[in-house]
Amino acid sequence: MKKLITSLLLLVAFVVPSVAQSQQDLINAYRNGTLTQSQIDDLKKQHEASASNVRRTREVNVAAGANRAAVEVETELTEMPADPQQGLVEGRTASAAVTRRNTSTRIFGQDIFSRGQMSFEPNLNIATPDNYVLGPGDEVIVDVWGDAQTSAAYTISPEGKIFVPNVGPITLSGLTISEATRRVRGSLGAIYEGLYDGSVQMKLSLGSIRSIQVNVMGEVGHQGTYTLPSLATLFHALHVSGGINNLGTLRSIKLYRSGKLYSEVDVYDFILNGKSDSDIALRDGDLISVLAYGKLVEISGEVKRPMFYEMRTGETVADIVKFAGGFTNEANSRVVSVTRRQGGQYQSFTVEQKDFDKFVVEDGDVVSVAGSIDRYENRVEIKGAVYREGFYAIDEQTRTLKQLIERADGLREDAFMSRAVLYREKPDWTMEALSIDLEGLMAGRVKDIALRANDMLLIASVSDMQEDYTVTVFGSVSRPDTYPYAENMTVEDLLVAAGGLLESASTANVTVTRRMKDSKSMAISEQLFETFTINLNDDLKVDGEGFVLQPFDQVFVRRSPVYITQSSVRIDGEVAFAGNYPLSHRNMRISEVVAAAGGANPGAFIEGAYLLRRMTGEEQMQARALREMIESQAGGNNRDSLGIASVSLSNVYTVGIDLENALANPGSDADIVLRDGDVISIPEYNGTVKVMGAVMYPNSVTFQPGKSLKYYAKAAGGFDNNARKNRAFVIYMNGMVASGMSAEIRPGCIVIIPSKAYREPVKWNEVISMLSSTASVSAVVLSAINLATK
């Protein structure tokens, strides 16, 4: 201990000359025996700071070019890839020290003392071990029972003694519990004679334990002096000091006691072999020294724990394989590869199994364990038309092709007997195919063939050699679809598979189309396919002989021309009997439905009646095409705020009608023909006109007969500066539209004034909801306005 403190003082004085005088004072105080514990603590802190300064100074010198060789090495170190084999290919390297620093989490055992789950803290509630050595500060409890009874607790003084009344001082420091028990029993015999004849019993036990101070130095997280319970162990001290750092050794941790080397601990013995005696109980003043590691070797590949391991002098490949948990089942355990850097270059060694325990590893070595290759010594495969496909071993029962087929439970009935194919590896590992007369082989007419490793026998089936045959049914069946073809399959069979005919199906005109087939033909035929027309009866049977289908036939079941589903329209608003009404005959007109609903009420606004209609699929496609056409023609010409992009298409639209004319002239063009789903709405009278767009105050204005559009715009505050007056238009309640300043104003209509530049777009959703109209009508209007004034 004295030598260590002297060395620390000299080192600090040498490294930090600016404080050399103060350090010399400390050295003199230590030599004179007047150095206090606080001064020792200060000395250790200064030593740690000095060591840090030394490292920083060396790094600055290297960066400045003082040691260019070191710079080159450091450059190589920082560029080293995670895979050492990759580094070997790229010509890069790394020293073990930096490798360890960069991959510390992969060093076996390195974090055992820094894990929060493993503190190695001593259990203070267990019985005191007999080999526990007492010291100043320990409390001992002396219990006496029998003919005499007493119990007392004594604390060992700094002089190492306890004082027992009527007995005097007893020295216990430095004694184990068993030794102290004998000494106290001998001392108490002077006052308890029964201790000799057994009538009095005595026991000494440990009460409160003392604290001890131990010093932890070297490559640990935090060097220093630590106060620990006297039951503390070496591993607990390493834990409280932050564990072993990236440069510290795990294989040679030294414990000094009373200035001499007491023990050298190998942590791997504890981890791998469970030697608990490695965790030595500490004593006051012990010094734990963790030096830098000696050798760091990586093992990669097919071992159970591929990572870095610290190796001791003389340890071999066999040792590191053992540390790594042994080989995996995929490993090539007969040979390993060792990569080593010597003299600035890599050197590779191939170590065979018999030399594993002879080849000594060195610092920085990389031991690589390869996996097995994807090849088999005695495996063959059979695929195709046999009952048990799969891999089989070449053994006593399976040596030839015929034996292999029998091992696979024989050929299936659909096997293609004319030819099988044997795929076999050539000596250069390329493949060759051998044709086998399967029928002759099984009949014994063809010589059997001996199997070789990795042979693969393919036996095709007849069904595999033809395309998937199907038939298809369309039209009025429950499940129109494509179905697998089966030999002798009839039209009736296909209809049953399709769930039978729908109620709307026609049995009088079922059509079957068939492909033209002529594999010998050399010319194109004018006829594309054959067509057959058949009739079905009520039992789904073909009149006359049954019609047998062929592969890829298509069956068309058409809808009966007389079958029509019920259709209806709805009338709402000011009629006597609003509701749904059937379209009982073809070309039923709007006047007939109004008459069936009891006619219009006296308060009805006939002029404002409108009709809503659902788009058919064809109309929806036309509406989308119309929108695309308008957008393409409008291009970038956004001269007003009514952009078509703001209009969304709907599947319901307004049909402009003149109900007053239709009722006055039934059957005329104004009396339009209705279709399923139409909705007729006859509103009440609306005596207002709504003004929207480029006016000062958009609002609703009371209708005044004979007043012009300009009047209503003025009633809404007048046109604003951006108004495009010549492009104004009016939307009437019945869905019709008129444009221009001369457009007639009628009750309930909407006047829209576009603007020259974007200001506040017209809210088309509001317009459409008010009219119950759709974007398709509006799109036509906008398109007409955009195109009319270009």
Side-chain angles (χ1 to χ4, degrees), residues 738-781:
S739 62
M741 293 294 294
S742 60
E744 181 183 0
I745 306 300
R746 297 175 186 172
C749 69
I750 299 176
V751 178
I752 298 179
I753 313 297
S755 61
K756 296 178 182 177
Y758 180 85
R759 184 173 177 182
E760 182 179 354
V762 174
K763 298 179 180 179
W764 282 99
N765 292 334
E766 181 180 345
V767 176
I768 293 170
S769 64
M770 292 176 60
L771 294 178
S772 297
S773 61
T774 67
S776 59
V777 175
S778 303
V780 176
V781 175

Side-chain angles (χ1 to χ4, degrees), residues 394-453:
I394 301 176
D395 52 23
E396 295 297 329
Q397 293 82 25
T398 309
R399 291 186 175 276
T400 65
L401 287 183
K402 192 173 181 180
Q403 290 175 338
L404 176 61
I405 294 172
E406 293 172 351
R407 191 75 175 269
D409 284 352
L411 298 172
R412 295 203 313 252
E413 287 75 7
D414 63 338
F416 183 68
M417 302 297 294
S418 298
R419 174 173 296 192
V421 182
L422 176 64
Y423 292 95
R424 172 164 288 177
E425 285 186 355
K426 295 166 64 176
D428 60 355
W429 286 18
T430 59
M431 300 296 294
E432 64 176 339
L434 304 179
S435 299
I436 308 297
D437 181 358
L438 187 58
E439 184 176 7
L441 176 68
M442 301 306 294
R445 298 192 304 269
V446 176
K447 184 180 178 180
D448 204 354
I449 300 175
L451 293 171
R452 295 182 188 174

